Each structure stands twice: as structure tokens, then as C-alpha cells.
Amino acid sequence: MTTAARDHSVVYAPQIQELLARKEKVFRIDATTVGVSDVQLISAVVAARPVLASERSVFKPAAGADIDHDSATRTIRALGQDVIAALQAPTPPAHRLSGPWPDAATAYLRQWLFSSDPLPVSLLSKRGVTRSDTLSRIADRAATAWPGADNGGTALARQIRTAPDTQDKRQAVALYRRASATLSDGVAALATNALWLMNRADPEEVARCGRTAVLWETLRLLPPAWMLFRTGGDAYAGLHPAIGPRDDIALFPLLMHRDPEYWTDPLVFRPQRWSGVDEPERTPGFMPFGFDGARCWARHMVVPLAERLLDVALEHRLTIHGAQRGTHVPLRPLLSVRFEAGAAL
């Protein structure tokens, strides 16, 4: 159990709690995997070779083929256009943020960002559809067969409409589904963690620091992207005696961000530590979106969306249920607390 703010606790899944209890910065997780939280070694691992296609999330192979650089670039640009449009448009009714977070925040973001898309494309971003493999396959086939009339919608949907052939359209469908889910889920996890931490912190201190500082401190203490995975190989074998040529490597920003060598009061939520910091990503011991050469493709979208989502929640006096003094963090790809919230609307 870790106390991150004044009067509340975060209880992690046992596997995460075991990691947090480790003192070593290089350690064996199992027979084939080595964990790393050492700053210099993480930098060396990231620099040793480019990320493999299979190690990516959104841009891993789809429809039986690799995603080429041009397709990935078009997808990132299209999603960036959609985020800009969303930030300039009215947000959905705030009462839809009531309920269990991060699920309520995820559903809210998907509606906000992608509700303008026509059927069947809009089904690709529906949480109820993406949670079911069977429904996802049905939605993918329907979107691939979509005739693509030019009747508005997001730039991401237009990638499907303008695909020149069936194979490209299948990949565009896969990229739509992955990109919309990855962005919405990541922003929801960040905003959920931030709302939990700031809700129990000194409100005057939070107000002085501002939303952006709160989000950077949240990315430090409860980073949604808490672990990065690299498939083993000769490129890593000489980096550390504990790493063999066949060992996979798990990199842990969650642990690095709590290293007392780099952070004063590392377990305490202190957004003021970011006041006056112009380039947070260059802070030693901080890897919220990866290192140079392996940066998250969505990093310029995540913080502005999370900031806007927090603004909506706070402007409408959304609060965590008063009786809840603790929260759990399950073992999932995205690190996120869970709580019930209601708004005084």
C-alpha cells in the first residue's frame, strides 16, 4: 500500500506491489525476462536498436502486413486533426462523466472525439464493441465494406474512405480501432489518476500549480504507460551482466519515477515540483512518453485532452464519492486507479 496524498491510499495489484518493493534497479522477473528501472540502462536499451513492429501497440502489423511509415504518419496526422477539432468544439454533457472511472471517462472521450463518424465506422470506437472479440470482428468487416460516402466525420474515418484497395482499407480499419482506443483509454487513465490525486491534495496548492503541473506530477507518480517491453536479442547482451542474448526486457518508468536518487519525497504527490519547468520530458529520471527515438506518437495529444477533461469535470463539480478513502490499481496494460464519481449538475 502506498500513500500518495494526504489522506488516501492506493492499493496495487500484487504483481505491481512486488515490483514497488524491489530495491534493485536490474532484476530477474522470470527465466526469460529481466526488469530494469535504472535510468542509464533504460536509455541504453532504448538506444540499442529501433523498436520492432511487434513491440508497437497501434502500429504493429495489421491485416497480415506491416504498417509502413507513410500509413503511420497519415494516421497520426489525421488523429491530430481530430483532436484539434475536438478541443475547439463543445464537449458532451458533463453528466455522462458520472459513474465508475476510468470507464466513464473513456466512454465520454470516445463520444467527444468520434461521435461524428457514420455507421458502421463509429462502431469501431464503441467500448461495448471493442471489449468483445466477436463484435470487433463483425464491426471490422462492416467498416471494411463501408462504401465511404463523403458525408463528414473525422479525419481518421476518411482514412478508411480514401483507402485505394481492400487491403489498405482493412489496415485503415485496424488503425482507426487501435488509435481511437489507445488515445481514449490513455487520456482517461491519466485524467482518472490526476483527479484522484488532486481530489485528496491541498486545493490551494493545486490551484497555485495549475492543471498542467498536476498532470506532469500524475505522469510521474501514476504513469498510465508504466511498463515498456522489448524482445530480447544480441543488441542488449552487452549492456549489463544480468542480461543474456535471449532475455526479454521489461522497462519500468513506474519504478524510475520513484527513484530517490532523482526525486525528493518520491512517494508524495507534489505538483509544485513542476512549477517553472519548461521542458518536463527532459527532466532526469522521467520517462512519461518514452525517450528520444522512441517517443509515444500521441504525447502531444494526451496532455491537452486530459487537461480539458479535468476542466469539464471540475467546472461541473464532479467529485469522488466522499466515503471512498482508498482505491485499487488492477494489473492492466494501462495503470489506472478506479473510483465512483458523481457530479453536482
Side-chain angles (χ1 to χ4, degrees), residues 70-92:
D70 289 345
S71 294
T73 300
R74 287 195 299 270
T75 300
I76 294 170
R77 289 175 177 170
L79 194 57
Q81 293 173 28
D82 295 333
V83 168
I84 291 172
L87 290 172
Q88 294 173 343
T91 53

Side-chain angles (χ1 to χ4, degrees), residues 127-333:
R127 192 169 182 83
V129 172
T130 58
R131 283 179 165 176
S132 165
D133 290 341
T134 299
L135 291 178
S136 291
R137 287 194 294 270
I138 293 172
D140 285 2
R141 287 196 293 269
T144 301
W146 177 48
D150 188 5
N151 55 350
T154 64
L156 200 60
R158 290 196 292 275
Q159 298 285 90
I160 301 173
R161 178 174 60 79
T162 58
D165 54 44
T166 301
Q167 175 65 16
D168 288 331
K169 184 166 285 195
R170 286 174 179 166
Q171 284 205 335
V173 166
L175 289 175
Y176 181 106
R177 177 165 45 82
R178 293 176 188 174
S180 61
T182 300
L183 182 63
S184 299
D185 292 352
V187 172
L190 175 57
T192 299
N193 294 345
L195 192 62
W196 173 262
L197 292 172
M198 67 190 294
N199 189 67
R200 303 300 183 180
D202 183 341
E204 293 184 1
E205 188 62 49
V206 168
R208 280 195 299 270
C209 295
R211 303 277 193 275
T212 304
V214 165
L215 289 172
W216 286 115
E217 180 68 347
T218 301
L219 284 164
R220 183 191 70 82
L221 197 58
L222 290 174
W226 62 284
M227 189 271 284
L228 304 175
F229 186 80
R230 293 291 183 268
T231 303
D234 292 336
Y236 303 137
L239 298 180
H240 191 276
I243 301 175
R246 296 186 179 181
D247 284 330
D248 297 328
I249 302 178
L251 309 175
F252 291 105
L254 176 67
L255 305 185
M256 184 176 70
H257 291 179
R258 295 160 180 249
D259 189 339
E261 183 177 343
Y262 293 91
W263 307 98
T264 302
D265 297 328
L267 301 184
V268 178
F269 179 66
R270 290 180 54 194
Q272 64 266 33
R273 75 176 81 233
W274 299 102
S275 297
V277 179
D278 293 329
E279 297 183 86
E281 289 184 78
R282 295 190 177 275
T283 302
F286 190 49
M287 194 182 72
F289 297 113
F291 280 110
D292 288 338
R295 297 284 185 187
C296 171
W297 57 272
R299 68 188 188 279
H300 296 306
M301 310 176 202
V302 169
V303 172
L305 283 172
E307 196 168 16
R308 181 71 175 277
L309 182 59
L310 284 180
D311 285 341
V312 173
L314 296 172
E315 285 170 5
H316 292 82
R317 301 191 299 280
L318 183 136
T319 59
I320 298 169
H321 287 182
Q324 186 171 352
R325 297 294 178 182
T327 185
H328 287 77
V329 176
L331 184 65
R332 292 185 175 179

